[in-house]
């Protein structure tokens, strides 16, 4: 299998359910439940006291999403990652606070023992949460499970550079690469290690009751309500678990999360409204931050459907958008106009020669060139998720000035993506954040512009598509950093010129939490993170 094949070689519906979840986070109605745990008195979203009189604090977070797949080899949505950061480990792990790749189960960085042959030694005393020791054979099993097509793992194509893996002994894993690969260390974060003995008995065990090696062990899932994790007694790694238990309460309604934080029913609120940040910051006992990151509004086009098969129409829509005004009005200044999929502060960014500014007259001229000199009516689907949905009326008004009549169809991402999956759409505004996958320009670009997403959601299959794939595959194994960056820059130039799934706005990730949640550190990506460095 080459790196240019569809991720997982899975069908459209399966990719919709798994691969697109991070890019389009559905928010479903839920109820609320207080945390389980040490039995102390709840104060400011934490619980004081604990068994044996030990000082234990229990963190309660207001989670803006419903709970989905927790199997780290199958799911890729925000639930998978939030739970996975705490419960599971790879040989290497991404720290979402620092954005650095750090040691997970590995005792040290991989060591090249022969050309294209690398060994990784497991840390001493590593155990699964059921008390069984972690063995190198569990790592090999986890790798083989990911690349088994029956698992339908999203990560299969991102580990294709590994030819084979074997257990040298109980504590050493050996990987043979197909050829030199500069991103090897980074990609090891995808091999989340699961216990072979449990998964071999029940392939779906990790989906509902995950067992890992991380600082927290899974306790329970109440569907549509809450997830509870407890500090793992046998954890032997470098991360620190500062809270006795973590409870994530599924709270779709942003007003309910806000009220719960103000009333000290939760200690941290994921994703407060941008317009509420100033008032929250003025309330005693509450802290706020907004971290610049990868989160972005994207505009998907169906390249196989008229008139969006004509790039002049796609370009006209981009020139018809006043994105600076959207940042001011909808985002309350908490964002920036995107020039590329990759934010300018992230590795791999290159400013394309085609940058879309607000220019209604140019938009009208492009429409006329495309045969729509009388203007154009079209349906624009808009994800109803909070700040995304709020943009709909503003965008409709902006486009009207350019001769574009956008008939809005609002809805949650699950319903709208059913139409996308069936090819029954023209244009769709939604949200994407692939930074949860790591600090990896190849993965960011490949996720959107190649494979299943490009062909099965964007219906983009042109000579430019194949050129992007050629450039991606060439850069993947390139050892000259300058040549690799040049390839990524060329890709960003192509997709900007073609207006392929343009990124509209990079939103800074807001978080609000109470002072009483001691030691909490916000992150600049989707989800909540409760760990601390040792």
């Amino acid at each position: 299998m080459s790196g240019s094949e569809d991720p997982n070689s899975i069908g459209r519906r399966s990719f919709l359910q798994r691969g697109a979840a991070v890019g389009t986070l559905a928010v479903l109605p839920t109820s609320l439940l207080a945390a389980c745990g040490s039995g102390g008195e709840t104060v400011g979203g934490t619980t004081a006291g604990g068994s044996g009189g030990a000082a234990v604090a229990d963190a309660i977070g207001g989670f803006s999403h419903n709970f989905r797949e927790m199997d780290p080899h199958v799911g890729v949505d925000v639930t998978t990652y939030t739970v996975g950061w705490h419960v599971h480990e790879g040989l290497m792990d991404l720290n979402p606070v620092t954005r650095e790749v750090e040691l997970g189960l590995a005792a040290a960085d991989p060591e090249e023992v022969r050309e294209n042959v690398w060994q990784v030694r497991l840390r001493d005393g590593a155990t699964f949460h059921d008390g069984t020791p972690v063995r190198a054979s569990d790592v090999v099993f986890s790798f083989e499970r990911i690349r088994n097509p029956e698992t339908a793992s999203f990560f299969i194509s991102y580990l294709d550079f590994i030819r084979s893996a074997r257990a040298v002994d109980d504590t050493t894993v050996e990987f043979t690469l197909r050829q030199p690969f500069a991103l090897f260390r980074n990609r090891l974060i995808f091999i989340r290690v699961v216990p072979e003995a449990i998964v071999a008995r029940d392939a779906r065990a990790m989906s509902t009751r995950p067992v890992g090696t991380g600082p927290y062990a899974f306790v329970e899932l109440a569907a549509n309500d809450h997830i509870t994790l407890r500090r793992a007694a046998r954890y032997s790694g470098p991360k620190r678990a500062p809270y006795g238990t973590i409870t994530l309460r599924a709270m779709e309604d942003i007003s309910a999360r806000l009220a719960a934080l103000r009333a000290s029913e939760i200690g941290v609120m994921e994703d407060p409204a941008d317009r509420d940040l100033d008032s929250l910051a003025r309330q005693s006992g509450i802290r706020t931050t907004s971290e610049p990151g990868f989160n972005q509004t994207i505009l998907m086009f169906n390249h196989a459907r008229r008139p969006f098969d004509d790039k002049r129409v796609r370009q006209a829509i981009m020139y018809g958008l006043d994105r600076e005004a959207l940042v001011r009005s909808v985002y309350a200044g908490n964002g920036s106009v995107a020039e590329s999929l990759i934010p300018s502060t992230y590795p791999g960014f290159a400013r394309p020669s085609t940058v879309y500014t607000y220019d209604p007259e140019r938009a009208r001229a492009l429409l006329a060139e495309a045969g729509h000199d009388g203007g154009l009516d079209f349906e624009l689907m808009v994800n109803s998720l909070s700040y995304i949905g709020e943009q709909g009326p503003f965008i409709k008004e902006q486009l009207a000035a350019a001769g574009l009549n956008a008939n809005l169809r609002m809805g949650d991402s699950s319903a709208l993506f059913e139409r996308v999956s069936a090819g029954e759409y023209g244009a769709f505004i939604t949200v994407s954040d692939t930074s949860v996958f790591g600090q990896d320009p190849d993965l960011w670009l490949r996720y959107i512009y190649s494979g299943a997403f490009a062909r099965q959601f964007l219906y983009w299959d042109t000579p430019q598509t194949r050129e992007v794939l050629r450039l991606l595959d060439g850069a993947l194994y390139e050892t000259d950093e300058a040549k690799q960056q040049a390839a990524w820059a060329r890709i960003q130039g192509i997709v900007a010129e073609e207006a392929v799934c343009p990124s509209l706005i990079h939103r800074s990730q807001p978080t609000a939490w109470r002072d009483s949640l001691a030691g909490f550190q916000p992150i600049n990506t989707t989800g909540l993170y409760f760990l601390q460095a040792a």
Side-chain angles (χ1 to χ4, degrees):
M1 181 182 64
S2 72
S4 61
E5 292 183 18
D6 288 0
N8 319 325
S9 296
I10 60 178
R12 180 177 290 131
R13 179 170 296 274
S14 181
F15 188 77
L16 164 66
Q17 294 170 341
R18 296 175 180 174
V22 166
T24 53
L25 298 171
V27 184
L28 305 176
T30 57
S31 58
L32 311 177
L33 190 70
C36 306
S38 58
E41 179 185 1
T42 299
V43 181
T46 67
T47 304
S51 60
V56 176
D58 293 348
I60 307 174
F63 204 51
S64 63
H65 313 286
N66 195 15
F67 303 128
R68 295 171 179 262
E69 176 67 67
M70 288 185 287
D71 188 326
H73 298 164
V74 176
V76 292
D77 62 29
V78 67
T79 306
T80 315
Y81 271 80
T82 296
V83 172
W85 284 326
H86 302 87
V87 172
H88 296 286
E89 291 180 288
L91 294 171
M92 307 299 295
D93 283 333
L94 175 73
N95 184 323
V97 175
T98 65
R99 305 301 302 166
E100 297 294 328
V101 173
E102 58 190 21
L103 296 179
L105 270 171
D109 278 353
E111 178 186 0
E112 189 171 23
V113 294
R114 298 186 303 279
E115 186 178 9
N116 294 331
V117 178
W118 294 76
Q119 289 186 355
V120 183
R121 183 172 58 83
L122 304 183
R123 71 166 182 262
D124 294 338
T127 62
F128 289 108
H129 296 145
D130 65 351
T132 59
V134 182
R135 302 187 187 280
S137 57
D138 292 300
V139 180
V140 175
F141 170 80
S142 299
F143 168 70
E144 294 292 352
R145 183 174 185 249
I146 291 170
R147 74 173 187 173
N148 182 347
E150 292 185 5
T151 304
S153 174
F154 171 77
F155 305 109
I156 185 172
S157 66
Y158 299 109
L159 295 172
D160 186 51
F161 66 92
I162 300 175
R163 184 184 300 279
S164 64
R166 73 180 185 94
V168 176
D169 52 39
D170 281 348
T171 62
T172 307
V173 186
E174 183 175 278
F175 295 96
T176 300
L177 310 190
R178 299 185 187 279
Q179 59 191 85
F181 187 68
L183 296 170
F184 172 52
R185 180 178 180 273
N186 288 21
R187 293 286 172 93
L188 287 177
I189 68 175
F190 297 139
I191 307 178
R192 297 287 193 176
V193 180
V194 300
E196 179 180 6
I198 293 177
V199 179
R201 289 195 306 268
D202 180 4
R204 293 292 295 162
M206 296 299 106
S207 295
T208 57
R209 194 168 185 83
V211 176
T213 64
Y216 284 90
F218 177 82
V219 176
E220 67 177 355
L221 163 66
N224 302 327
D225 203 299
H226 72 277
I227 289 175
T228 302
L229 311 177
R230 181 180 295 125
R231 184 189 291 133
R234 297 183 179 90
Y235 174 68
S236 62
K239 303 180 187 70
R240 194 164 73 85
Y243 312 110
T245 66
I246 298 169
T247 298
L248 299 173
R249 291 167 50 170
M251 307 175 74
E252 174 215 12
D253 190 288
I254 193 169
S255 299
R257 295 199 306 280
L258 179 63
L261 182 73
R262 290 189 187 278
S264 298
E265 295 171 5
I266 60 176
V268 57
M269 172 188 180
E270 184 196 17
D271 206 26
D274 299 318
R275 61 179 174 271
D276 291 331
L277 290 176
D278 286 345
S279 63
L280 276 169
R282 290 193 296 270
Q283 181 170 338
S284 177
I286 293 180
R287 300 184 186 187
T288 65
T289 188
S290 191
E291 301 286 333
F294 211 97
N295 189 297
Q296 60 197 284
T297 305
I298 60 173
L299 175 53
M300 297 171 58
F301 290 113
N302 183 341
H303 291 247
R305 170 177 283 197
R306 292 182 179 178
F308 305 107
D309 58 342
D310 189 327
K311 76 174 182 181
R312 292 170 296 186
V313 172
R314 302 192 298 269
Q315 291 173 333
I317 291 175
M318 288 300 295
Y319 283 117
L321 294 175
D322 187 347
R323 293 182 286 162
E324 294 282 2
L326 289 175
V327 170
R328 292 192 302 270
S329 58
V330 178
Y331 294 78
N334 189 40
S336 60
V337 171
E339 295 179 312
S340 172
L341 168 77
I342 302 175
S344 60
T345 56
Y346 277 63
F349 168 79
R351 183 169 287 103
S353 57
T354 302
V355 176
Y356 297 96
T357 56
Y358 182 50
D359 191 340
E361 292 307 313
R362 189 169 184 180
R364 286 182 179 276
L366 284 165
L367 286 176
E369 286 180 24
H372 305 285
D373 49 356
L376 178 67
D377 286 11
F378 69 100
E379 180 184 81
L380 177 62
M381 300 196 312
V382 181
N383 187 339
S384 58
L385 173 68
S386 60
Y387 64 94
I388 303 298
E390 291 176 19
Q391 295 177 69
F394 289 92
I395 287 173
K396 179 179 176 65
E397 183 178 354
Q398 290 175 0
L399 292 177
L404 291 152
N405 180 30
N407 300 304
L408 301 182
R409 176 188 285 265
M410 311 291 293
D412 68 58
S413 63
S414 295
L416 295 181
F417 246 94
E418 289 292 339
R419 296 191 66 205
V420 171
S421 181
E424 298 172 355
Y425 87 105
F428 178 27
I429 292 178
T430 188
V431 62
S432 173
D433 186 355
T434 53
S435 64
V436 294
F437 294 140
Q439 204 83 334
D440 193 331
D442 170 78
L443 191 151
W444 299 330
L445 295 168
R446 194 177 294 273
Y447 180 90
I448 296 293
Y449 304 123
S450 73
F453 196 96
R455 289 191 173 88
Q456 297 180 2
F457 290 162
L458 304 178
Y459 303 91
W460 183 48
D461 192 2
T462 68
Q464 288 79 15
T465 316
R466 291 180 281 281
E467 174 67 2
V468 165
L469 290 175
R470 185 189 68 78
L471 289 164
L472 280 169
D473 287 346
L476 188 63
Y477 294 103
E478 180 58 68
T479 56
D480 185 317
E481 290 187 11
K483 292 180 179 179
Q484 187 178 62
Q485 179 62 42
W488 290 336
R490 175 63 180 145
I491 291 166
Q492 291 168 80
I494 290 172
V495 297
E497 168 68 18
E498 295 293 315
V500 180
C501 197
S503 299
L504 303 182
I505 293 166
H506 288 295
R507 181 190 185 222
S508 296
Q509 185 66 39
T511 310
W513 70 101
R514 302 203 66 88
D515 287 339
S516 54
L517 192 61
F520 176 77
Q521 299 179 86
I523 58 177
N524 70 348
T525 191
T526 308
L528 290 171
Y529 186 74
F530 295 92
L531 303 180
Q532 297 174 2

